[in-house]
Amino acid sequence: MQAHRTDGDGWTLDNIPLQDVDLARVRDREDLFYLVAAASFIEIAAELYTANLVQTFADDAEVRGWLEAHWQVEEVRHGRALRAYVNHVWPDFDWPRAYAAFYADYSQHCTVEEFEPTHGLEMVARCVVETGTSTYYQALAAQTDEPVLAGIAARIRAEEIGHYKHFYRYFRKFSARQPTGRLAVLGALRRRLVEARQDDAECALRHVFAVRDGSADPARLHALRARLVRQMKQQYPVTMAARMLLKPLDLPSGVARVVEGPVARWTAWVLQR
């Protein structure tokens, strides 16, 4: 497996300098607690949906091998890095109990029956997921002035963009075998965007909130989510998201430039509602 990338400061997601965390800058940031804890749940749960993907692509050794040896390993590493940060900064939070409840809930909905009908369209769906994660971590990095958290988010973002590139390449591979029309691609993009908003993030936040707040009050949870959405929206890279989502449609460059703005606004509306 390829060595994990380091930046100028020398540390990696396997070797996070938690001793350097500036606790005064982050410990009282309830918003960052929820954003980081919820993300840690979704990333570590990669072991579940990797198994589903491997089952779906069992007939393709290249894709299956990359999923098992690279994508799953890196996604779980993201979750462990975020969990380590949560445990260090907010040690009173019962992460195992909240995650166990999340996993029991999430696993009921994360099944192969939810996948797209063809290999090519499922790779389109994966591109949507990686668009969402890479832009999420870019926005998260912009939310904090705590250097270690900003570094974690930036490193995860870089790997998520790498994942997007792999899924896009596999989409092209399958499309060469079985051509996929733009309307079918557009349908897959739309379905996965809506599902991502309704499922992963909301499920994770709900279970973090239940343990942290000691409450299942839907009104309070809704108010919390609305605050987080408003905050993230200020830094959300909508143009980047639009370009990543448009890429599988393979539009002529002139058309892509025209529709980029409307797609950016629609993407921001869907992902941040």
Side-chain angles (χ1 to χ4, degrees):
M1 188 163 124
Q2 194 175 30
H4 181 54
R5 186 177 72 86
T6 63
D7 291 319
D9 50 28
W11 61 270
T12 76
L13 292 174
D14 292 317
N15 184 26
I16 301 168
L18 294 174
Q19 71 280 0
D20 294 336
V21 173
D22 189 341
L23 294 174
R25 294 188 181 190
V26 70
R27 178 163 283 167
D28 294 332
R29 291 282 302 274
E30 180 186 61
D31 56 334
L32 292 179
F33 163 75
Y34 279 109
L35 292 170
V36 176
S40 73
F41 284 10
I42 297 169
E43 297 284 2
I44 287 183
E47 291 179 316
L48 173 62
Y49 46 81
T50 300
N52 292 339
L53 281 174
V54 167
Q55 177 183 340
T56 299
F57 293 95
D59 59 344
D60 191 299
E62 179 190 8
V63 174
R64 185 179 68 250
W66 179 77
L67 288 170
E68 293 178 322
H70 294 272
W71 186 68
Q72 178 184 20
V73 172
E74 291 171 2
E75 291 291 298
V76 172
R77 177 165 56 207
H78 299 169
R80 289 174 178 165
L82 295 167
R83 176 183 180 177
Y85 191 89
V86 170
N87 288 342
H88 181 76
V89 177
W90 300 283
D92 294 338
F93 176 63
D94 191 345
W95 195 98
R97 180 163 70 93
Y99 179 75
F102 160 77
Y103 189 86
D105 187 359
Y106 181 64
S107 62
Q108 300 302 309
H109 307 285
C110 187
T111 65
V112 294
E113 287 74 21
E114 301 298 317
F115 285 8
E116 292 293 326
T118 69
H119 282 2
L121 288 178
E122 182 54 32
M123 287 303 173
V124 172
R126 293 296 106 194
C127 286
V128 174
V129 172
E130 300 302 337
T131 297
T133 54
S134 58
T135 52
Y136 177 88
Y137 288 111
Q138 180 166 325
L140 177 62
Q143 302 297 314
T144 181
D145 61 355
E146 199 291 294
V148 176
L149 178 56
I152 291 172
R155 286 163 170 79
I156 294 176
R157 172 193 178 274
E159 289 195 345
E160 300 289 9
I161 289 176
H163 298 167
Y164 173 94
K165 291 177 179 178
H166 272 83
F167 286 126
Y168 177 72
R169 180 167 67 82
Y170 293 142
F171 161 68
R172 296 294 299 269
K173 169 184 172 178
F174 291 124
S175 292
R177 297 177 184 171
Q178 181 182 0
T180 305
R182 288 194 179 108
L183 284 178
V185 171
L186 186 61
L189 290 171
R190 180 183 178 279
R191 284 189 295 275
R192 196 61 188 90
L193 271 170
V194 174
E195 289 168 6
R197 181 179 67 83
Q198 292 175 342
D199 294 341
D200 301 9
E202 290 188 6
C203 183
L205 183 62
R206 182 169 67 251
H207 290 287
V208 173
F209 175 78
V211 171
R212 171 76 165 187
D213 191 72
S215 167
D217 183 352
R220 293 176 64 181
L221 175 60
H222 178 77
L224 169 66
R225 187 178 185 280
R227 290 198 303 273
L228 295 177
V229 166
R230 286 195 299 270
Q231 178 178 325
M232 290 288 278
K233 188 175 182 179
Q234 297 174 11
Q235 304 289 346
Y236 189 79
V238 291
T239 300
M240 171 184 166
R243 289 174 179 169
M244 292 174 76
L245 290 173
L246 286 171
K247 194 172 180 65
L249 289 169
D250 194 25
L251 297 172
S253 58
V255 176
R257 285 194 297 270
V258 170
V259 302
E260 184 178 292
V263 170
R265 291 189 291 273
W266 176 71
T267 301
W269 179 77
V270 171
L271 289 179
Q272 300 177 61
R273 284 186 66 198

